[in-house]
Amino acid sequence: MNPVPTPREYHSPAERRPGNLTLSEQALYVVGGLALAAAGTKPRPNFLLNIVALGAGAYLAWRGTQGYCPMKAAIDGHRA
């Protein structure tokens, strides 16, 4: 029977996969994602565009905080 793992044995996904974004790229992802999500909160005639902007902005901000972008990895030729 395995003992209960200690908190130091848990790893977040960011620790398991090395990041491929520099610090400045991470900042741009977060700021750009939050700006896009904020633009999606304004009322517009097309409700679908608001949903897409919120989703895309949240995804970009999340990827910026994680420090890893699968699209950049694919372009650079790195494997996950």
Side-chain angles (χ1 to χ4, degrees):
M1 180 177 204
N2 291 337
V4 177
T6 63
R8 293 184 69 69
E9 293 177 12
Y10 289 111
H11 300 287
S12 70
E15 291 176 10
R16 281 184 256 144
R17 185 180 327 169
N20 64 348
L21 298 176
T22 64
L23 187 60
S24 60
E25 288 174 334
Q26 282 182 280
L28 287 174
Y29 269 62
V30 171
V31 170
L34 291 177
L36 186 58
T41 62
K42 292 185 178 183
R44 304 204 190 283
N46 191 344
F47 183 70
L48 183 61
L49 288 178
N50 287 354
I51 299 298
V52 170
L54 280 169
Y59 180 75
L60 280 176
W62 177 63
R63 279 297 169 191
T65 59
Q66 294 297 309
Y68 181 81
C69 180
M71 294 173 117
K72 183 179 179 192
I75 291 170
D76 291 344
H78 298 122
R79 291 191 169 181

